[in-house]
């Protein structure tokens, strides 16, 4: 059993004790390349999202996290890889495409940074580039209750997984100036439209 599976099992147990709810797990394709488009409010988002899915997830994470001695080593062990934010990081793009070419699941936070208010922000068009180059489907995912998770998240920890979106489904109409930006907006709208279950 890998460290990834051991950690995932431990987190799943903890989250279940917190009243964790998951909807739509059947929407994850069982094989082939998939890009997860996840909203972002907390450092716990990747752990909660990955724990919700039966397939391993390789996350792109901001470069600064890998400079922290213990956390950086943990991220590397769990298969995450760094990205330099605010610039076209070709190494991160190449690594993302390699992961997708191998038929794996790539985890992205298209907003580029955590939302301080919890409101879903504009998505970055880089995920559209990866979708087009890899022919991967995009899976919209909404997480809730991860901000202040251990103080306010009990009974509010939800993950909703939408249906896969393909490049054929996300074709921009003629005359659009920035096609990838338009498609990124449609993807973020799909995340926004996911309905969270009601807290008990």
């Amino acid at each position: 059993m890998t460290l990834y599976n051991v950690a995932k099992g431990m987190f799943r147990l903890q989250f279940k004790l917190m009243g964790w709810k998951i909807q739509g797990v059947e929407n994850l394709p069982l094989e082939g390349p998939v890009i997860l488009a996840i909203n972002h409010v907390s450092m716990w988002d990747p752990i909660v999202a990955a724990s919700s899915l039966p397939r391993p997830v390789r996350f792109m994470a901001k470069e600064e996290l890998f400079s922290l001695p213990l956390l950086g080593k943990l991220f590397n062990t769990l298969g995450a890889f760094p990205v330099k934010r605010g610039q076209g990081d070709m190494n991160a793009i190449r690594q993302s495409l390699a992961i997708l070419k191998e038929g794996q699941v790539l985890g992205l936070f298209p907003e580029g940074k955590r939302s301080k208010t919890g409101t879903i922000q504009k998505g970055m068009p880089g995920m559209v580039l990866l979708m087009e180059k890899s022919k991967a489907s995009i899976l919209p995912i909404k997480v809730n209750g991860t901000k202040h998770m251990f103080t306010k998240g009990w009974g509010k920890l939800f993950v909703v997984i939408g249906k896969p979106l393909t490049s054929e489904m996300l074709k921009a109409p003629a005359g659009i100036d920035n096609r990838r930006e338009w498609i990124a907006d449609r993807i973020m709208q799909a995340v926004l439209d996911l309905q969270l279950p009601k807290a008990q």
Side-chain angles (χ1 to χ4, degrees):
M1 182 175 288
T2 66
L3 176 59
Y4 184 101
N5 289 329
V6 171
K8 179 178 174 179
M10 293 173 61
F11 284 123
R12 284 182 64 88
L13 177 60
Q14 174 61 47
F15 298 155
K16 285 178 180 178
L17 294 174
M18 298 176 67
W20 182 39
K21 293 184 178 64
I22 310 169
Q23 287 186 183
V25 69
E26 70 278 2
N27 292 326
L28 174 69
L30 296 180
E31 58 184 20
V34 179
I35 300 170
L36 309 181
I38 312 166
N39 67 308
H40 199 17
V41 296
S42 164
M43 293 291 291
W44 283 99
D45 295 336
I47 295 173
V48 172
S51 298
S52 305
L53 300 169
R55 295 177 62 183
V57 182
R58 300 283 305 276
F59 277 98
M60 181 188 290
K62 65 180 181 180
E63 183 183 45
E64 295 86 345
L65 295 175
F66 291 83
S67 64
L68 303 173
L70 295 177
L71 194 58
K73 186 175 181 180
L74 177 61
F75 279 156
N76 282 317
T77 301
L78 296 179
F81 61 97
V83 60
K84 296 177 181 178
R85 297 189 300 172
Q87 56 184 286
D89 187 340
M90 293 306 299
N91 285 333
I93 291 172
R94 280 193 288 267
Q95 189 155 3
S96 297
L97 290 173
I99 288 167
L100 295 168
K101 185 177 180 180
E102 293 171 0
Q104 298 185 55
V105 180
L106 174 67
L108 298 181
F109 296 99
E111 296 163 283
K113 60 183 178 180
R114 283 174 284 169
S115 171
K116 295 181 180 180
T117 64
T119 303
I120 292 178
Q121 306 168 97
K122 193 173 184 64
M124 302 179 74
M127 65 175 162
V128 182
L129 169 68
L130 295 175
M131 176 186 70
E132 293 173 344
K133 294 288 187 183
S134 66
K135 308 301 181 186
S137 57
I138 288 190
L139 203 67
I141 295 179
K142 183 185 285 185
V143 296
N144 182 77
T146 54
K147 192 171 185 178
H148 311 301
M149 186 167 68
F150 291 105
T151 55
K152 299 179 181 179
W154 295 77
K156 298 178 182 178
L157 188 58
F158 304 143
V159 179
V160 184
I161 303 157
K163 293 185 180 299
L165 302 171
T166 66
S167 55
E168 290 297 315
M169 298 166 64
L170 294 167
K171 284 186 175 178
I176 295 294
D177 290 335
N178 192 324
R179 182 178 55 80
R180 285 180 178 154
E181 187 174 304
W182 185 92
I183 294 172
D185 288 343
R186 303 287 80 73
I187 294 169
M188 297 314 295
Q189 186 64 48
V191 176
L192 180 62
D193 290 343
L194 294 173
Q195 297 296 310
L196 295 168
K198 294 181 179 180
Q200 301 296 316

